[in-house]
Amino acid sequence: MGGFSPASAAQRCAVGIHTSPSSPVSRSRSRRQQQPAPPVRRRRLAAPLAVSRRSLLVPRAVAASTDRASPEVRTLPPPPSARKRLDGLLTSLPFLSCRAQAVGRFNLESNSELQVTVNAAPQGAIAEINFEATNTSGSLVLHWGALRPDRGEWLLPSRRPDGTTTFKNQALRTPFVKSGDNSTLRVEIDDPAVQAIEFLLFDEARNKWFKNNGQNFLIQLPTSRNQGQGASGATVVPEDLVQIQSYLRWERNGKQSYTSDQEKVEYEAARAELTDELNRGVPLEKLRARLTKTPESSERDAPAAKTTATKELEKRVSKHEKKKKYSVERIQRKNRDITQLLNKIKPGVTKEQVQAAPKQPTVLDLFTKSLQEGDDCDVLSRKLFKIGDKEILAIATKALGKTRVHLATNDVEPLILHWALAKKAGEWEAPPLSIAPSGSTLLDKACETSFVESELDGLQYQVVEIELDDDGYKGMPFVLRHGETWIKNNDSDFYLDFKTKVTKKAKVIDTGDAGKGTAKAFLERIADLEEDAQRSFMHRFNIAADLVDQARDAGLLGIVGLFVWIRFMSTRQLIWNKNYNVKPREISKAQDRFTDDLENMYKSYPQYREILRMILSAVGRGGEGDVGQRIRDEILVIQRNNDCKGGMMEEWHQKLHNNTSPDDVVICQAIIDYIKSDFDISVYWDTLNKNGINKERLLSYDRAIHSEPKFRSDQKEGLLRDLGNYMRSLKAVHSGADLESAIATCMGYKSEGEGFMVGVQINPVKGLSSGFPELLQFVLDHVEDKSAEPLLEGLLEARVELRPLLIESSERLKDLIFLDIALDSTFRTAVERSYEELNDAAPEKIMYFIGLVLENLALSTDDNEDILYCLKGWNQAMEMVKQKDDQWALYAKACLDRTRLALASKGEQYYNMMQPSAEYLGSLLNVDEWAVDIFTEEIIRGGSAATLSALLNRFDPVLRNVAHLGSWQVISPVEVTGYVVVVDKLLSVQNKSYDKPTILMAKSVKGEEEIPDGVVGVITPDMPDVLSHVSVRARNCKVLFATCFDPNTLSELQGHEGKVFSFKTTSADVTYREITESELMQSSSANAQAGEAIASLSLVKKKFLGKYAISAEDFTDEMVGAKSRNIAYLKGKVPSWVGIPTSVAIPFGTFEKVLSDDTNKEVAQNIQMLKGRLAQDDFSALGEMRKTVLDLTAPTQLVTELKEKMLSSGMPWPGDESDQRWEQAWMAIKKVWASKWNERAYFSTRKVKLDHDYLSMSVLVQEIVNADYAFVIHTTNPSSGDSSEIYAEVVKGLGETLVGAYPGRAMSFVCKKDDLDSPKVLGYPSKPIGLFIKRSIIFRSDSNGEDLEGYAGAGLYDRLVNFFHETQFTHMIKNSFSITAKECACFSVPMDEEDQVVLDYTTDALITDSGFRSSILSSIARAGHAIEELYGSPQDVEGVVKDGKIYVVQTRPQM
């Protein structure tokens, strides 16, 4: 994959890839325009790449066809370098001398070919080209043009066959003549200057193009040529001389930076100059000698070395010839072990950070609260100002119809308030004497009032309160005075705006849930400072820099909070500038200060790097001093140089002087696009609108832009040159992802142009590898290529080369981070551009692209282990294709499923981490609700994860088709009818009862849920294991349960919500149709069994029979459940190669006996109280019940008896290691007992009307087998009901990932009972996590509910999960009383915690070794078959594999 697989991978993947049908000709207009003019900066040379692929036809070449024709075919000519190459080809290859010489025979399709012959003609005669295509339709067309060395476009000859039409004045279209099964055509060329024709074939009836290996066909004509003469005696100048002349012109003109259009003009001007000289009689040889500084022929008799001047000129002129040569090549990626990219750093959230004690309220907090608690008090506006290390709070309120202004400060020094009122901005108007507080002094245009000392909760503060008498006042300006010292707001007046939109902060204060899962105090601090930040970018970035340390101290959520704030700013949700004039260099300096602080945190806190990259990307690079000031200075240069000092340019100039912003990058680009379009003003507005700027926004600036750009045609060249340079300055400050400026900053540059970047010199970053500059040049040369694959490889190679420097915290780290961000951004754009290229691609090509995108995602992700193992999986899938392994598609489908899970996990991580902060801060800052709602979604959509998801969606149907998987997986095949209802999560409705037959379209099903009452069918895009709890429950309850993999089908069904549908199934497909309600009534009897609650069952309450622990020989139905009894029964009866773990048990009634012990009276009382709450349907009591059980104390007798039974059975006694080990075991036992009150078990018993009090729990105690693999067997295929076929699922590690709600699919297989040596794999594993444990003891729930016929109670309790097992972050931000689905599952509890391991299936013999796989799967099938024969009925068997040996840990009747 990329740098991690053989170089031939790309070549293999190219097989079967067709050129995009949107452009039958291989060159785009933009490439034609990029003439080889002398470069002044790194250029993106795409044209040579396309031209270099052109070649003369080769006999027996394959003509590739495209499946669709473009709605708009743009046939474009070769650039000058193509003409040069044509000259070389025609000169080096001999002319055809025979009459009717065969030029080539080409395969068009499997049974069709094209033969081309050319009739040789003497000079001046007509040349004939004959075409014959075999086995074709009658609608074949020749799409063609002629090539002359003196023209840059296709020539459309005047001599044309009958029926020829002109296509957009760019090409000719001539129909073939149908003759039997073949089609023929003759083309005659009478222009002696035409040296070749170029063409494509188009089948109009089938809308299909035929090409020559994805390129145009090119036919050489055998006619003589006159040196220096074209048709009609026209002068032809050799292209090498034109290139030299254009270079010399460029040097004479000051080495300006040209646009593509300017380059073309310059190149043709150079040609015209030389043509003029030749027409004036200057010999061509003399002209060459002058330009190349070489002797004429008379002086060349003796060999001589080239002059220094000649060598230097050739060196200079050949620079972009080298670029052309380099741009043709693909880079050779280095072979690396991809685990070198492994990064296991996980951003951590500590419980203390999330649940930190609320900050001690300040006296100003208490003052605010006292105002809010007043009757009908509405806060009109609130503003907190900093005065040194103190603060002053200004609040305007309205209560009982009266408006009041309150100013409070924690400064206890005597203060005077010097204040006034304003009815318009900037006004100071003395208040009426009637509203001045007692003791005030009225001045000419102000009033002075002393602050009054006060106290709240023992805290001192000072306050002034003013009651207004007129609602016409807009605000209150004020300053403070301490003695003779005036205190101002950063050299400005303080100002409280009465009309400021009321923030929502007042509404969410002290509600409890507001701000949960965030660094709440930090976000509130940001909100307090926002008004000051709105003054300018300088203020915002300086405030942000001041907040960096506070964000760091708040941990991950603090960093996230800072990112959310900056993201709101960058997406224009916050005010950028308000009544403040600031110099660009001041903005740049503040920006540089902020990004320097972020850089320092990046070095010291690697766990935050992923979020810090996001912040840096949103902020831009900045730069102290000259970098920012150039924005202000260079706009003046543009105006002066190009005579555009008025109108829109002057308005933009004033805006730039007042406050530059990222909008200026967009405005500059819009002006450039407008000029390039020959002054089409609609192009200007289109660029603005596409980037979120409309007329209203332009008018909203402090220095508004009212006018539209308007220029003269003679200004075009200079403006494009100068604005192009100016864009570099704008992006250097504002863009965090601009590739060219990022490369220039890291590689170093020195600018000498007049007025632009004068004297600016940036040195290269130290430590870069020797070939890194060439690699970046390759990227720039290919950045606009239509075929993105070489570019993507170059971008990834550059990022991998850069990675060590990013990890090592090298010098100028910030510049390297911005370069990496730019490379990442360019990669995503290139992939999105390549979607069309992949439309007709072979599977290997798509897999190769998926691997490239995965590698890019891994390079941008802090914790990338799962992503890298996904990448290794795709590499292995491509290797399987190469080896012609017929299982490749099935394996690739598992890789695809796992990759999707990785993306979903990443999305969930982002949502949990960011969305609470976005919602809380958004509420504080009054951000538009829609922007808050989509905050995390937009972050994900803007990253590589979204790009990868789009590729997976394209590839999924391809894989399903190749692997013969279809669009459905039927887990429970039942024919049902019912009303379609759409829900997000099955978990959210599992306890609901539907009063009519319902078919749920559930967007999420994890595997642990219950089927709600009244539900007859569940359709989902999720992929729970066939043997998961919900799958078993669906089959037990005769409920249709199926996974739909086709998003279109799923969307169609969801669109029928509320309608009645009928579903019919086979083992591999589902058919459906809409029916009437009357048909539903007729079919209601068919649904009678489906979805209804199982008939009422009863339990017999179990009693304590005097033993706290028993050995296996004492397992009876009065003492233990079916699980324990089955294990005891198997001992000694199964084949010797099947192991049965040693077991003891804690029998029924022991829990109740322990609860009645005197040491546990308080626990018993609490449980009784909680049972009362449950009886009142207070289900929050379930969680409290489980926690209460954990407070039990073990009676001495229980400890003694359990120790004796375990030791006598050969099991280790935990207490022999330490008292702590016994406490671990005792806690595990209590967790098993507590699982009686997990949500799923409780509601399940209610559903079947079982008395929950009668449910008794014994505990099966076994020594854990440290498994390599775990399996579950159903000895009758549960999907098809085929009793002759065993179905089984296998996972790596312990079985909890199989029977629990762990994401992903297990390996699944079937095996015929009469051919147990031939297992058939149905699906490869996609579970990312495996659980492993050292030697330990496991305690399994074994209830009397499992003994009931027709009720699968076993699934309720059998889950190997720690009682409080969930991610730390999810646990801390959970808003409801309930615990996770894993906790809700009933339990088997190991004494020790399992290790979670991210699985690498490419090193797993079960996947990679077919012999080992067949042996293990056959052994599993044999064990299941043996146990079924032992019981005489279908069995549900669980077991493990250790060192190739099969162990069965439990069996029960298959439901």
Side-chain angles (χ1 to χ4, degrees), residues 1285-1322:
E1285 188 173 68
I1286 290 172
Y1287 175 89
E1289 293 181 343
V1290 185
V1291 294
K1292 193 168 179 63
L1294 298 177
E1296 165 54 13
T1297 59
L1298 177 57
V1299 298
Y1302 280 77
R1305 299 293 300 274
M1307 170 178 273
S1308 58
F1309 72 96
V1310 293
C1311 194
K1312 291 293 185 182
K1313 294 176 183 175
D1314 60 0
D1315 189 8
L1316 294 172
D1317 289 326
S1318 303
K1320 178 184 177 182
V1321 175
L1322 301 180

Side-chain angles (χ1 to χ4, degrees), residues 75 105 162 319 363 474 528 610 716 747 840 1008 1018 1027 1056 1082 1326 1381-1382:
T75 307
R105 190 184 301 271
D162 292 340
K319 277 187 177 178
V363 67
K474 302 297 184 184
D528 287 338
E610 191 171 334
K716 181 176 181 179
M747 294 297 99
D840 304 306
E1008 289 293 293
V1018 178
L1027 303 183
H1056 291 296
Q1082 294 172 6
S1326 61
K1382 293 179 184 178

Side-chain angles (χ1 to χ4, degrees), residues 416-459:
I416 301 294
L417 177 69
H418 184 90
W419 62 284
L421 295 172
K423 291 188 176 180
K424 60 182 180 181
E427 183 179 59
W428 275 73
E429 179 181 319
L433 182 61
S434 60
I435 70 171
S438 176
S440 297
T441 302
L442 279 180
L443 306 175
D444 181 22
K445 290 188 176 183
C447 179
E448 289 196 341
T449 304
S450 296
F451 278 81
V452 177
E453 294 181 357
S454 190
E455 179 181 317
L456 275 172
D457 289 356
L459 299 174

Side-chain angles (χ1 to χ4, degrees), residues 106 108-109 111-115 132-141 176-184 201-203 205-206 210:
F106 311 92
L108 300 180
E109 292 182 304
N111 63 342
S112 178
E113 65 178 20
L114 172 70
Q115 179 176 329
E132 182 175 12
T134 62
N135 297 317
T136 60
S137 68
S139 58
L140 199 63
V141 172
F176 278 68
V177 177
K178 183 71 173 175
S179 177
D181 292 334
N182 300 338
S183 297
T184 61
L201 299 183
F202 179 48
D203 190 332
R206 298 164 62 197
F210 296 93

